[in-house]
Amino acid sequence: MNTFSRWVGDRLILVLGLLVLLYMFVPIFVVILMSFNAPGSRNSYTFNGFTLDNWLNLCEPYQLCSSLRTSIEIGLLATLVATLLGTLMAFAMVRHRFRGRSSANLFVFLPMATPEIVMGSSLLALFVNAGFAGALGFWTIFVAHVLFCLSFVVVTVKARLSGLDPRLEQAAADLYANEWQTFWRVSFPLVFPGILAAALLSFSLSFDDFIITNLNAGQEVTFPMFVWGANQRGIPPQINVVGTVMFTVALLVVLLGEMGSRRRAAR
Amino acid sequence: MSAAGHISSLGPAEAELDGPPDPEGQKRGWSGYLLLLPGALWLLLFFVVPTVTLVATSLYDPSGSLQLGYQMTGHWQNYVDALRDYGPQFVRSLIYALIATIACIVLGFPLAYAIAFKAGRWKNLMLVAVIAPFFTSFLVRTLSWQYILGDNEALVSVLRALHVLGPEGYLLATPFAVVTGLTYNFLPFMVLPLYASLEKIDPRLIEAGTDLYASPFTTFRTVTLPLAMPGLVAGTLLTFIPAAGDYINSELLGNPRTRMIGNEIQDLFGAGDYPTAAALSVTLMAAIVVLVFVYVRRAGTEELV
């Protein structure tokens, strides 16, 4: 009886977990379905029939593709800078001993604990007070994105780095590698998966951000801002195509990474 | 540092190895500062300085404007006015965020538990599944809920047929829809830290509870829950904080009477009333800092940062 109830308990929790997971995917299924919807009326959120038109005429809605382009450009640039600065910080915080380490930790954690609306308003207050009210646009968005990506990069790279045995680096030094060689031949390849994960996370955070961007964008329009505007005018079904593509690409990248790390583990 | 540490589990290539590095692996001297410098400067210039500027802006004379310029007069009255005018939105934001956080715990715990202990070789796949919806744009997902909860769609029809909703009942544009959206959007932030905590628990501790004739509930309360506490605290903060400041769900799924503090701050900035908007922002941040502090104290987890 006891084993039976335990068996039921085991299955029950798994079923519950899978149900929650299913709930998390329901909106995604809707997005994928709607990307193939033939729009009947102004409100594209009623399924009328299957079509590939939305996929073939992606750029038809005004500003959709230009906003996508802006988002990708900002995403790549912010990822590059945030990953570089964040990786350096992570190395300093794990591999170096200095005064004020715990305040450095707090300093990195705080931006993650700040609501987006507060971070966005602070930046806007700074830009406006510094006389940049008219210059809000691509570069102010870039500055903001680097800022909120930075902490996530530090945390991700730190997690990878603190799991590495420092004796590997010491061994390299013992074998007469200088600091530069030790870094590029030993530390960097070992930490690389962490850096890659951090970069992917940065890009998706940047690409998806709305609240902070909206406050600091001036006349610039990113993809989330396009979606926001479209909600007021009537939603073009092409938005769901972009959602579907993003989901598929991200899933592929994550699964490839997973396979890669399995293969490495098997070796 | 644990809350921050848990977020790293978002990364697919999480470090499998554990254990702090040998202290001897740390270098001394000024090179550490040099590596820290560019990032720290960025944080100082674009996080610390703006926060100070925000506080200053909240004390400007409200009779100024963006075009004519503002005067710094130490106008504390801004806070009194802001709270008088926007008190209800404040309370509403905190209540919605609280309900959403509780819903995230209720939904997230079984999922995190299942992944940690019951998933077997499907563990990694399930973790990927938790992050995957995350990658479709936040706004696109929320618009998708607009459709799911819509008046003429399947869900409302079914609930009407089952008499859960009245014949004229609806879901969209209600507080329920807003909280549903908040719960949905921030659920991964609860699941991942919870999973990270649960995964560290030795399953033999739970078995020992059962072997000693503790009921499943007693085992859960006295063994599993205390050990999962760091993840629960981190998850609660990571869901509550963004939920309290969010205005996307309220705007897309709510009605004028579900407006949250984020909606007001955004609109005030849009209308050029910087001092009031800044005062509201500072108050929100202060409220969150206080709540975080009290919560972390109560939950007895000082290892957060």
Side-chain angles (χ1 to χ4, degrees), chain B residues 81-197:
Chain B
D81 293 347
L83 281 178
R84 185 196 58 217
D85 293 344
Y86 300 104
Q89 285 89 330
F90 237 112
V91 177
R92 193 179 294 139
S93 300
L94 298 180
I95 292 176
Y96 285 2
L98 182 70
I99 301 174
T101 306
I102 294 171
C104 280
I105 295 177
V106 172
L107 292 174
F109 212 103
L111 178 56
Y113 193 91
I115 299 177
F117 296 120
K118 311 289 176 201
R121 63 203 186 88
W122 301 106
K123 190 184 259 188
N124 280 335
L125 196 66
M126 279 178 86
L127 274 178
V128 169
V130 171
I131 342 172
F134 216 47
F135 287 115
T136 313
S137 158
F138 189 105
L139 283 163
V140 174
R141 271 179 293 153
T142 311
L143 284 176
S144 179
W145 277 105
Q146 211 178 52
Y147 165 76
I148 297 168
L149 300 172
D151 292 352
N152 300 317
E153 305 306 331
L155 183 62
V156 169
S157 311
V158 170
L159 290 177
R160 280 180 185 165
L162 292 172
H163 296 286
V164 177
L165 284 173
E168 298 293 309
Y170 56 91
L171 293 174
L172 194 61
T174 61
F176 173 82
V178 179
V179 174
T180 304
L182 289 172
T183 307
Y184 176 78
N185 278 315
F186 299 112
L187 186 56
F189 289 107
M190 179 63 77
V191 175
L192 293 173
L194 263 181
Y195 161 77
S197 264

Side-chain angles (χ1 to χ4, degrees), chain A residues 24-33 247, chain B residues 132-133 136 141 144 184:
Chain A
M24 294 178 75
F25 272 88
V26 167
I28 310 300
F29 294 144
V30 170
V31 169
I32 296 173
L33 184 71
F247 175 74
Chain B
T136 313
R141 271 179 293 153
S144 179
Y184 176 78

Side-chain angles (χ1 to χ4, degrees), chain A residues 10 24 95 97 121 129 155, chain B residues 4 27 60 118 138 184 281:
Chain A
D10 277 9
M24 294 178 75
R95 285 291 188 260
R97 191 177 279 249
S121 354
N129 276 293
V155 164
Chain B
K27 302 181 192 79
Y60 284 173
K118 311 289 176 201
F138 189 105
Y184 176 78
S281 251

Side-chain angles (χ1 to χ4, degrees), chain A residues 2 6 9-10 13-14 16-18 20-21 23-28 30-31 34 45-47 81 85 88-89 91-101 104-115 117-119 121-129 133 142-143 146-147 150-152 155-156 158-160 162-164 166-167 170 179 193-194 197 200-201 204 208 210-211 214-215 223-225 227-228 231-232 235 239-240 243-244 246-247 250-251 254-255 258 261-262, chain B residues 1 3-8 10-29 31-33 35-36 38-40 42-51 53-54 57 60 66 107-108 110-111 113-114 118-119 121 124-126 128-141 143-148 153 180 183-184 187-189 191 207 210-211 237-238 241-242 245-248 251-252 262 265-266 269 274 281 284-285 288 304-305:
Chain A
N2 196 13
R6 201 183 281 186
D10 277 9
I13 194 99
L14 193 58
L16 273 179
L18 288 174
V20 175
L21 213 51
Y23 155 80
M24 294 178 75
F25 272 88
V26 167
I28 310 300
V30 170
V31 169
M34 286 301 159
Y45 275 103
T46 304
F47 201 80
V81 175
L85 299 187
L88 292 178
M89 282 184 99
F91 265 93
M93 289 164 85
V94 178
R95 285 291 188 260
H96 291 261
R97 191 177 279 249
F98 54 88
R99 272 168 188 279
R101 274 170 61 100
N105 272 326
L106 184 69
F107 201 44
V108 168
F109 173 75
L110 270 179
M112 296 194 292
T114 307
I117 187 85
V118 176
M119 191 188 267
S121 354
S122 313
L123 277 166
L124 180 62
L126 173 77
F127 290 140
V128 167
N129 276 293
F142 162 76
V143 163
V146 172
L147 174 68
L150 189 58
S151 299
F152 286 92
V155 164
T156 311
K158 250 181 83 180
R160 175 84 195 176
S162 53
L164 290 182
R167 282 173 298 187
Q170 285 161 6
E179 230 173 280
L200 289 172
L201 186 62
S204 61
D208 205 20
F210 175 69
I211 294 182
N214 194 30
L215 280 166
F223 178 68
M225 290 175 71
V227 177
W228 185 259
N231 179 53
Q232 266 121 35
I235 306 150
I239 282 179
N240 296 309
T244 307
M246 278 168 69
F247 175 74
L251 199 61
V254 174
L255 287 176
E258 181 66 28
S261 67
R262 265 199 199 169
Chain B
M1 202 48 242
H6 291 313
I7 298 170
S8 65
L10 289 173
E14 200 195 349
E16 275 98 17
L17 302 160
D18 259 336
D22 185 345
E24 285 175 27
Q26 293 182 338
K27 302 181 192 79
R28 289 163 188 281
S31 55
Y33 291 110
L35 292 175
L36 214 52
W42 202 284
L43 284 172
L44 186 73
L45 214 57
F46 300 120
F47 184 71
V48 179
V49 174
T51 307
T53 319
L54 183 73
T57 306
Y60 284 173
L66 205 51
L107 292 174
L111 178 56
Y113 193 91
K118 311 289 176 201
R121 63 203 186 88
N124 280 335
L125 196 66
M126 279 178 86
V128 169
V130 171
I131 342 172
F134 216 47
F135 287 115
T136 313
S137 158
F138 189 105
L139 283 163
V140 174
R141 271 179 293 153
L143 284 176
S144 179
W145 277 105
Q146 211 178 52
Y147 165 76
I148 297 168
E153 305 306 331
T180 304
T183 307
Y184 176 78
L187 186 56
F189 289 107
V191 175
E207 282 165 27
T210 321
D211 291 347
L237 297 181
L238 290 174
I241 294 172
D246 180 78
Y247 65 82
I248 297 172
E251 182 80 26
L252 298 183
I265 298 176
Q266 170 64 38
F269 272 119
Y274 280 55
S281 251
L284 175 65
M285 192 63 211
I288 283 176
L304 184 73
V305 237

